């Protein structure tokens, strides 16, 4: 249980970023937005996945056009993953 708990966060973030990096940002798909599912037109995260996919392709102009937070989300999540890896590596050395 302890092993799972210590690896769950970085594994989830890594898999999520990899899936978004591999998606076709110009395609359309199913929306997972709770606002959309509730019938509300405005969704604050709409386009975030596409923006992250564009960021991984190096198309920052398209990424920022689709959703301004995409490149920042990649930076924040990548930083968190690296921080967790370092924490686990230092913990395993002791």
């Amino acid at each position: 249980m302890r092993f799972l708990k210590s690896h769950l966060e970085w594994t989830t973030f890594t898999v999520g970023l990899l899936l978004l990096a591999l998606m076709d940002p110009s395609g359309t798909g199913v929306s997972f937005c709770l606002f959309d599912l509730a019938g509300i037109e405005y969704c604050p995260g709409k386009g975030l996945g596409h923006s992250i996919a564009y960021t991984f392709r190096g198309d920052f102009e398209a990424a920022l056009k689709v959703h301004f937070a995409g490149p920042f989300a990649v930076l924040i999540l990548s930083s968190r993953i690296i921080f967790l890896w370092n924490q686990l590596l230092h913990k395993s050395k002791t």
Side-chain angles (χ1 to χ4, degrees):
M1 183 67 165
R2 189 170 146 185
F3 177 82
L4 177 64
K5 202 179 224 184
S6 62
H7 293 282
L8 182 64
E9 184 179 1
W10 77 260
T11 304
T12 304
F13 288 156
T14 302
V15 169
L17 282 177
L18 285 173
L19 289 173
L20 288 169
L22 296 173
M23 78 174 256
D24 177 16
S26 61
T28 59
V30 178
S31 175
F32 295 108
C33 180
L34 295 176
F35 291 94
D36 276 347
L37 297 174
I40 301 169
E41 284 190 36
Y42 175 73
C43 183
K46 193 169 193 136
L48 185 58
H50 294 274
S51 180
I52 290 171
Y54 280 124
T55 300
F56 275 106
R57 285 163 177 72
D59 190 351
F60 298 107
E61 186 178 337
L64 291 170
K65 187 183 281 187
V66 175
H67 197 290
F68 72 94
F72 302 108
V74 171
L75 278 173
I76 291 167
L77 291 173
S78 298
S79 298
R80 180 66 181 163
I81 291 166
I82 292 168
F83 173 79
L84 292 169
W85 285 346
N86 283 331
Q87 205 174 31
L88 288 170
L89 284 173
H90 291 302
K91 191 184 290 187
S92 68
K93 288 181 181 179
T94 58

